[in-house]
């Protein structure tokens, strides 16, 4: 029990320390001028890494758009409908097999109880 109490106290102290750190950061942020924050964001957005990321994303979007334009929608739908039909057939077969097995077991139990 004392071990549990020590753990609870340690957790309380830890949470208090985290709260103090967050409060400190919030005070620093409050002292920072808005213009400085806006300038930092502009610098970040104009950085080489962000520009590379923008270019790669743009290329990816263009590639997806090209694939959509070249896609044969009717063929795609037929393929997905065929797969869905196969899945449905398997599901119906599985359910039918289970019902047939249950019916056989019931019939077997019924015959045993008559004897």
């Amino acid at each position: 029990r004392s071990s549990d109490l020590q753990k609870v106290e340690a957790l309380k102290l830890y949470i208090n320390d985290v709260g103090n750190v967050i409060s400190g950061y919030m005070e620093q942020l409050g002292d920072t001028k808005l213009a400085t924050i806006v300038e930092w964001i502009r610098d970040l957005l104009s950085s080489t890494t962000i520009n590379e990321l923008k270019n790669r994303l743009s290329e990816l979007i263009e590639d997806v758009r090209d694939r959509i334009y070249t896609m044969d929608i009717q063929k795609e739908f037929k393929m997905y409908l065929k797969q869905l039909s196969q899945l449905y057939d398997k599901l119906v077969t599985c359910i039918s097999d289970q019902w047939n097995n249950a019916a056989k077991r019931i019939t077997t139990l019924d015959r045993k109880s008559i004897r």
Side-chain angles (χ1 to χ4, degrees):
R1 257 189 171 198
S2 67
S3 174
D4 291 339
L5 290 175
Q6 288 174 343
K7 289 178 184 178
V8 169
E9 286 300 318
L11 180 61
K12 284 181 184 178
L13 291 173
Y14 177 74
I15 291 172
N16 191 27
D17 288 343
V18 169
N20 290 335
V21 169
I22 291 173
S23 295
Y25 283 132
M26 294 303 288
E27 287 176 19
Q28 287 177 354
L29 184 62
D31 294 340
T32 305
K33 293 182 180 179
L34 183 61
T36 307
I37 294 173
V38 171
E39 184 179 334
W40 178 77
I41 291 173
R42 280 187 189 153
D43 290 345
L44 180 66
L45 291 177
S46 66
S47 72
T48 306
T49 306
I50 296 295
N51 286 333
E52 263 185 54
L53 184 62
K54 287 178 188 176
N55 290 337
R56 287 186 183 184
L57 184 60
S58 178
E59 290 172 5
L60 177 67
I61 290 172
E62 287 178 27
D63 184 48
V64 169
R65 185 193 68 206
D66 291 344
R67 287 183 184 194
I68 289 172
Y69 284 147
T70 60
M71 186 185 292
D72 184 356
I73 303 293
Q74 189 174 16
K75 182 181 175 183
E76 294 287 326
F77 271 122
K78 284 181 181 179
M79 181 185 69
Y80 289 122
L81 287 174
K82 182 178 178 181
Q83 290 176 351
L84 185 61
S85 175
Q86 291 170 350
L87 178 65
Y88 177 78
D89 288 343
K90 288 179 183 179
L91 182 63
V92 168
T93 301
C94 180
I95 292 171
S96 296
D97 289 347
Q98 293 301 319
W99 276 107
N100 289 335
N101 287 338
K104 286 178 185 176
R105 289 180 184 162
I106 290 170
T107 304
T108 303
L109 287 174
D110 187 40
R111 286 183 187 158
K112 286 182 181 178
S113 66
I114 292 175
R115 291 182 185 173

